[in-house]
Amino acid sequence: MSQPVRIDLEGFGKAYGGVPVLRDVSFTLYGGRVHGLLGENGAGKSTLLKAVCGAVAPDTGRVLLDGRPISVGSPRDALRHGFALISQELALVPAMTVLDNVYLGRWHNRLGWRSGRKDGRTFARLLERTGFELDPSALVRDLPLAAQQQVEILRALVSGASVIGMDEPTALLTKTETDRLMAVIRQLAADGTAVVLISHFLEEVLSVCDDVTVLRDGRHVVTGPAAEQTPDSLVRHMVGRPLELMYPEPAPVAPSAPVLLSARDVRRGTAVRGVSVEIRAGEIVGVAGLVGSGRSETLRAIFGADARDGGTVVVDDRAVPSGSPPQAMAAGMAMVPESRKEQGLVLARSVRENMALASLGSRQLAGFVQGGAERSVAGTMLRDLDVRGSDLSGPVWTLSGGNQQKVLFGKWLLERPRVLLVDEPTRGVDVAAKSQIHRLLVDLAAEGMAVLMVSSEVEEVLGLSHRVLVMRHGRLVAEYARGEATREQVLAMAFADDLPGTDPPPEPGGRAAPGRVDPTTPTVSSRTSTEEQR
Amino acid sequence: MTITADTEAATETTGRAAASRFTKLHDFGIVLSVVVIVIALSVTTQTFLSTGNLVNLLDQAAVIGLLACAATLVIISGAFDLSITAVLAVSAIVAVVVTTHAGVPAGMAAAVLTGGVLGAINGLVVITVKVHSFIATLALSIIYRGLAVILTAGAIVYPPDDRVTAFQALSWPTTLGGITAASLLFLVVAAVCWAMLAGSTFGRRIYAVGGNEEAARLSGIRVGGVRVAVFAISGVCAALAGLVLAARGGSAQASMATGMELTAIAAAVVGGTSVLGGEGAIWRGLIGVLLITLIGNGFNLLGWDTIYQQVVQGALILGAVSFDRLLRGRRS
Ligand SMILES: Nc1ncnc2c1ncn2[C@@H]1O[C@H](COP(=O)(O)OP(=O)(O)OP(=O)(O)O)[C@@H](O)[C@H]1O
Ligand SMILES: [Mg+2]
């Protein structure tokens, strides 16, 4: 590799409907370096990256490649100059194989006929270079998310990308998968690629990035070496003032507090194999575990999003039938699902309509929506959760990812449920909003709500929960009181039998566990983890 | 808990308000297209704005308008109903048959009931068989047309002579400025559908089911129930359209209104209702109906040769929709 490339971004500006979301942003990227892009939800990070990679047309701004202005008017143009974007929502063809996706549109051919053999050979070399383990003939839709991301990375490499932008690639990954990805990113940089990394995990950014840039309200705040920053200084730049980043202490649960949720021996297929849990009023119970361990499936089965194969769920002495969200809601349960795009929000509809959706019946008169009441409760919730980037009437899809998450939360809080099931409550949420959501959960519990929370962030589980449960292969395998467990202990329990040298637990009927999640190398054989992503 | 600086939040909010007014304007591109055609016709002909012509225009729009209300509702709920005109034919035939045996009011009631039942069957098939509604209702429409042939033995059916006048009541002018009863029926149905979709909790559920079925289900909405209800309403609208058409002709037959379901869907979509579901409005369907009816009317008034009508109609629809798209801008 000769002289590393230098990419100057000059004066990027973009407004939507007259509201600026990017204002005159300029900074420089270098080949061989990893550049972190930070900012609160809605700061304009994704918009900037999309503009640079030709996915949205900026109002102003140009890109200089080694001093020469280049045109990045479309993704195709950008790719020609070596700019590839791995966006927040992956863009793969689910029904095609890994190999076909990696070479999408640039298959080797002989006189117009596809030459799969040649693709296969270069694919093998790519795997060698990156250390990924992917089966070229597997269908992309059967892959766990981490593997799908690898497919995207390979595709970027095949296109000869010298600049790769990654928009929150680790938001959906577990710790091991994240570590693996960070190693790959370092490897890419070592090969001379300029990598831009958007992430809300400050430690992650500080550990992997050479440089960082912070945006606030669409404005450029600072660019500089990562070594000169600390998590606190980054937060100050992002939020505009210092911010306490401690987990709020949950209020102690009174020994006399009644049990609100009692689930017994809940089963569903191979994903949930007999889970029992009791939660008292005011208690936050956190569930840790690997992707594919059945955490989300457990929540869904308790709520009734999926029918149970067995087991009972009782809320407040009232039995909740299997597979009926309306009945679960009538009993006082609410579930914030893990994927806001697929399961949570109606993207084309307004913020107001989305917030009102789960509680339409409580603000109606003769079947008609009471507009005034709805506006006022939704407006209050919007302010309480500090949703930014839109008023009530704006469609939800125009909000940034983190703000969408807040709307999703707000929807379920309008009805003040007695039992709240939350799956990944802070996925893709910025540091400030994250501590707001943490505060909110703790406050809700203090008011007497029973909270069952699933999170891939072990720190979050440890920091917020009165009790920590660890799940593995569809069963609860450990329980710790607050302060009793360390991060390492929880992770060890989550992996346990996957670690070399330990034996897997006996399976019912003597079968081996289908598709275990391998802690060291994300493999493509994990069936249970694809189930979790549906 | 809130950490926004207040002044900044304030400017942000005013900016957003201005922006959303701006987007609202964007939404009316298709209306502008129609207004342009109306102005063009008013200027180039003397007769366009005459009461007689406007009454006539509304009457012409009644059947396609009722069908477009049905199509709009179903499309917003994220489905297609290709069976509406088959349901129309069966209902109209039932109306004639029952009228013959039990009188006109019974005949009309039976037709509406038939429409509702056939529509509900559509919905039940769609939610149980889980094949795409496009295919399910296509297959069902063939069955319904077949049923219509069986009922009529392939012939045209007429109500008995002494009841013909009453049977044709829907085509009579009313005291309301002379517009026909059919026009009035169309306006009432459109208003009801509009209010339901825009203002009722059921309307909200329709949008949610069409926009994201899974999110709707997890929000406690009984998705199947909503679908069946929407198809049933669609069937009722189709039956009403059938009554209007039968009243006009004083007869019914198995091949009535063949192909008109596509015009109705076109009207719904031209107005800006998204084929993907979850977005749209009754007024958009009405604008589409107006556009399509205006073109036919214009040809008439201008005395143009109708052999060019289809080409011009297609071109104008394309033009209006492109203009609408242009105004609404590129959207990711
Ligand atoms: N197509 C659009 N129409 C209107 N507004 C938009 C559109 N796309 C983005 N925005 C707005 O632009 C702002 C910046 O959005 P962007 O997605 O770049 O934020 P972000 O920094 O990536 O946030 P996050 O961390 O939550 O992903 C937000 O306020 C968002 O609401
Ligand atoms: Mg983003």
Side-chain angles (χ1 to χ4, degrees):
Chain A
M1 191 108 324
S2 53
Q3 189 72 16
V5 289
R6 170 194 168 108
I7 303 102
D8 296 288
L9 312 182
E10 277 191 4
F12 272 86
K14 171 84 186 169
Y16 282 108
V19 182
V21 299
L22 271 186
R23 319 179 205 216
D24 194 26
V25 175
S26 311
F27 58 94
T28 304
L29 308 170
Y30 296 96
R33 293 177 80 85
V34 182
H35 198 116
L37 188 53
L38 295 165
E40 288 185 276
N41 294 131
K45 307 177 295 293
S46 300
T47 307
L48 176 64
L49 207 53
K50 283 187 203 155
V52 171
C53 296
V56 305
D59 301 337
T60 61
R62 56 177 195 161
V63 179
L64 305 183
L65 187 61
D66 287 329
R68 275 175 302 106
I70 56 166
S71 137
V72 286
S74 68
R76 199 187 160 83
D77 272 357
L79 265 180
R80 233 187 29 223
H81 293 292
F83 288 63
L85 172 67
I86 298 174
S87 66
Q88 241 163 329
E89 296 85 33
L90 298 180
L92 296 167
V93 186
M96 284 166 73
T97 63
V98 168
L99 192 70
D100 287 349
N101 267 284
V102 166
Y103 290 94
L104 199 69
R106 48 184 81 242
W107 298 290
H108 286 108
N109 67 80
R110 188 174 298 128
L111 303 172
W113 294 93
R114 175 100 200 270
S115 160
R117 271 232 315 279
K118 216 161 160 196
D119 284 348
R121 272 201 306 274
T122 50
F123 184 78
R125 277 205 298 278
L126 272 177
L127 289 189
E128 237 168 78
R129 187 176 144 200
T130 53
F132 294 162
E133 293 189 12
L134 288 168
D135 172 6
S137 59
L139 290 184
V140 159
R141 65 160 177 253
D142 296 335
L143 297 187
L145 202 81
Q148 294 192 7
Q149 226 162 33
Q150 295 179 344
V151 175
E152 283 252 19
I153 294 173
L154 290 184
R155 183 157 79 181
L157 291 179
V158 164
S159 68
S162 52
V163 184
I164 298 184
M166 298 189 188
D167 197 347
E168 299 194 34
T170 58
L172 304 169
L173 300 188
T174 53
K175 182 74 183 109
T176 17
E177 291 169 331
T178 301
D179 291 346
R180 184 85 202 90
L181 180 66
M182 291 303 138
V184 169
I185 289 177
R186 291 297 342 164
Q187 177 67 40
L188 290 175
D191 288 351
T193 311
V195 180
V196 184
L197 175 71
I198 298 182
S199 170
H200 288 297
F201 299 101
L202 304 181
E203 274 87 11
E204 174 183 305
V205 169
L206 288 176
S207 72
V208 76
C209 294
D210 303 297
D211 308 303
V212 289
T213 288
V214 178
L215 299 182
R216 181 166 78 232
D217 290 334
R219 287 195 190 85
H220 178 259
V221 178
V222 68
T223 295
E228 291 173 8
Q229 302 287 345
T230 64
D232 284 335
S233 69
L234 287 177
V235 169
R236 211 166 45 243
H237 289 310
M238 287 162 62
V239 183
R241 58 178 189 78
L243 188 77
E244 189 73 58
L245 281 186
M246 298 281 289
Y247 285 97
E249 185 72 21
V253 185
S256 61
V259 171
L260 282 189
L261 172 72
S262 154
R264 291 215 172 287
D265 198 28
V266 171
R267 301 173 170 276
R268 176 172 166 83
T270 53
V272 187
R273 305 163 179 232
V275 171
S276 300
V277 60
E278 284 196 346
I279 307 179
R280 292 189 293 158
E283 196 179 18
I284 302 178
V285 174
V287 185
L290 302 183
V291 168
S293 61
R295 298 165 308 169
S296 297
E297 282 83 354
T298 302
L299 282 201
R300 291 174 60 87
I302 291 177
F303 182 67
D306 301 320
R308 295 187 283 273
D309 294 340
T312 55
V313 174
V314 175
V315 173
D316 245 357
D317 299 333
R318 177 171 169 174
V320 180
S322 156
S324 167
Q327 302 250 30
M329 287 162 65
M333 257 203 270
M335 182 181 78
V336 178
E338 67 170 333
S339 149
R340 50 181 174 257
K341 198 171 127 204
E342 275 85 29
Q343 306 158 351
L345 297 170
V346 187
L347 290 179
R349 307 310 302 172
S350 67
V351 172
R352 171 179 156 190
E353 276 183 43
N354 271 283
M355 282 219 189
L357 197 59
S359 54
L360 279 174
S362 51
R363 285 174 308 276
Q364 54 129 1
L365 196 70
F368 279 80
V369 178
Q370 292 184 299
E374 184 176 286
R375 253 193 307 279
S376 94
V377 292
T380 310
M381 189 55 76
L382 198 74
R383 249 170 290 122
D384 283 355
L385 294 176
D386 193 25
V387 176
R388 296 188 216 173
S390 173
D391 55 14
L392 284 175
S393 60
V396 161
W397 67 265
T398 62
L399 289 184
S400 71
N403 283 304
Q404 289 183 6
Q405 184 71 19
K406 294 188 205 168
V407 172
L408 182 56
F409 235 90
K411 163 169 132 182
W412 286 107
L413 294 181
L414 281 188
E415 277 290 74
R416 289 281 145 174
R418 311 191 18 92
V419 176
L420 181 66
L421 314 176
V422 277
D423 204 347
E424 306 287 358
T426 59
R427 169 174 289 176
V429 168
D430 70 43
V431 277
K434 201 170 194 164
S435 61
Q436 282 175 7
I437 289 180
H438 290 157
R439 180 82 258 159
L440 184 75
L441 284 170
V442 166
D443 289 348
L444 291 171
E447 288 167 22
M449 206 178 276
V451 179
L452 181 58
M453 173 184 76
V454 163
S455 172
S456 294
E457 258 187 89
V458 178
E459 288 80 2
E460 192 168 77
V461 172
L462 291 176
L464 291 180
S465 314
H466 292 99
R467 235 173 344 129
V468 174
L469 307 176
V470 183
M471 229 179 144
R472 188 173 71 224
H473 300 328
R475 293 204 182 83
L476 295 177
V477 291
E479 173 170 345
Y480 304 98
R482 180 168 183 79
E484 218 177 57
T486 62
R487 193 169 170 261
E488 286 65 35
Q489 275 174 305
V490 169
L491 284 175
M493 279 319 284
F495 285 129
D497 53 79
D498 292 312
L499 291 175
T502 47
D503 285 328
E507 293 299 327
R511 285 177 298 116
R516 286 209 308 274
V517 181
D518 187 326
T520 42
T521 38
T523 59
V524 297
S525 61
S526 169
R527 264 211 15 246
T528 35
S529 25
T530 47
E531 269 168 31
E532 179 140 327
Q533 293 160 32
R534 257 169 329 169
Chain B
M1 202 161 94
T2 316
I3 48 174
T4 336
D6 282 349
T7 48
E8 236 168 89
T11 50
E12 174 106 338
T13 320
T14 44
R16 287 285 162 185
S20 68
R21 258 199 305 282
F22 188 64
T23 16
K24 290 244 168 61
L25 245 175
H26 278 188
D27 282 349
F28 292 108
I30 193 75
V31 181
L32 229 58
S33 302
V34 170
V35 167
V36 167
I37 296 183
V38 167
I39 293 175
L41 283 175
S42 327
V43 172
T44 49
T45 69
Q46 269 102 54
T47 39
F48 178 74
L49 283 180
S50 69
T51 321
N53 185 54
L54 291 182
V55 164
N56 185 16
L57 194 71
L58 196 58
D59 189 54
Q60 280 171 11
V63 170
I64 193 71
L66 285 164
L67 293 177
C69 286
T72 304
L73 283 175
V74 175
I75 291 173
I76 290 177
S77 80
F80 279 94
D81 187 352
L82 291 183
S83 76
I84 41 178
T85 52
V87 172
L88 177 156
V90 175
S91 308
I93 290 165
V94 166
V96 171
V97 172
V98 175
T99 296
T100 312
H101 293 105
V104 174
M108 292 194 168
V112 173
L113 191 69
T114 306
V117 169
L118 293 183
I121 291 174
N122 283 337
L124 286 170
V125 169
V126 166
I127 64 171
T128 47
V129 182
K130 298 216 160 64
V131 342
H132 194 279
S133 56
F134 197 91
I135 298 164
T137 56
L138 180 68
L140 284 161
S141 80
I142 298 172
I143 297 179
Y144 298 157
R145 286 273 179 207
L147 219 60
V149 172
I150 295 170
L151 278 174
T152 57
I156 302 179
V157 291
Y158 303 90
D161 288 340
D162 55 327
R163 290 176 181 158
V164 166
T165 340
F167 187 79
Q168 292 194 293
L170 274 174
S171 53
W172 296 345
T174 62
T175 47
L176 278 172
I179 66 170
T180 59
S183 309
L184 202 62
L185 178 70
F186 158 50
L187 292 179
V188 169
V189 169
V192 169
C193 288
W194 189 336
M196 182 186 75
L197 203 51
S200 75
T201 54
F202 178 59
R204 287 292 181 78
R205 295 191 173 98
I206 296 178
Y207 280 113
V209 168
N212 186 343
E213 185 170 338
E214 180 66 2
R217 191 176 74 86
L218 292 182
S219 303
I221 291 170
R222 295 176 207 274
V223 173
V226 171
R227 289 213 180 285
V228 173
V230 167
F231 273 104
I233 295 172
S234 166
V236 168
C237 290
L240 293 173
L243 285 176
V244 171
L245 219 51
R248 257 186 220 156
S251 67
Q253 65 188 91
S255 63
M256 277 169 93
T258 310
M260 215 188 251
E261 67 276 3
L262 294 182
T263 317
I265 290 173
V269 178
V270 162
T273 291
S274 163
V275 281
L276 302 176
E279 273 182 291
I282 290 290
W283 69 263
R284 294 192 171 278
L286 299 183
I287 288 287
V289 170
L290 193 57
L291 184 70
I292 287 170
T293 321
L294 274 177
I295 294 168
N297 187 247
F299 259 81
N300 245 330
L301 297 182
L302 293 169
W304 288 355
D305 193 336
T306 48
I307 58 167
Y308 302 113
Q309 181 167 336
Q310 279 171 313
V311 174
V312 174
Q313 189 162 353
L316 273 176
I317 289 174
L318 214 53
V321 175
S322 322
F323 180 58
D324 187 44
R325 275 282 117 183
L326 198 76
L327 270 191
R328 286 210 250 178
R330 198 160 61 130
R331 189 174 130 170
S332 47

